[in-house]
Amino acid sequence: GSPGKKYELSFQMNPSYLDGDFNGDGKADVALLVKERSSGKLGIAIVDGTTGKMAILGAGIGIGNGGDDFEWMDSWQVYSNTRAAHAAGESSVPHLRGDALLVEKSEAASALIFWNGKRYVWSQRGD
């Protein structure tokens, strides 16, 4: 069905959306905070700037240690692939095709969510 019937935008955090080239195709994509209407579970929708297709992470769909509800998340930002290239000495930074999302719980844990060429994956960075 229509994503608008299953999900609604969430304004729980500021900013409520982020721009970046998340799949590395050279086109701007957008990541939006969303809430699954039926469960109230928080997550991220990444909209491909070329195709308009949407990937849902959280909001009822589990990914890595983030689970299926990102209610725990209190900050997020774009982690640029150029920043990752400069951090190549850090063994915990994966090779990125495009920009990644850095999702965090203050003073606890963080993770990178990035496109691996087939799907979005989770890379834990802290507890």
Side-chain angles (χ1 to χ4, degrees), residues 6 9 11 16 23 61 67 71 81 86 91 110:
K6 188 165 183 178
L9 291 176
F11 299 97
S16 58
N23 59 10
I61 300 171
E71 185 69 34
N81 63 348
H86 291 298
S91 60
S110 66

Side-chain angles (χ1 to χ4, degrees), residues 1-74:
S2 163
K5 290 182 178 175
K6 188 165 183 178
Y7 304 99
E8 63 187 25
L9 291 176
S10 172
F11 299 97
Q12 183 169 322
M13 285 190 311
N14 189 8
S16 58
Y17 72 93
L18 297 169
D19 294 316
D21 178 13
F22 300 116
N23 59 10
D25 67 358
K27 304 282 187 199
D29 307 307
V30 64
L32 307 154
L33 281 179
V34 295
K35 188 177 283 194
E36 185 182 35
R37 290 179 188 271
S38 63
S39 68
K41 291 180 178 181
L42 191 68
I44 298 169
I46 301 177
V47 182
D48 185 304
T50 302
T51 66
K53 289 185 178 177
M54 189 179 316
I56 303 291
L57 315 166
I61 300 171
I63 178 171
N65 291 351
D68 71 348
D69 186 359
F70 286 14
E71 185 69 34
W72 53 267
M73 185 174 71
D74 59 16

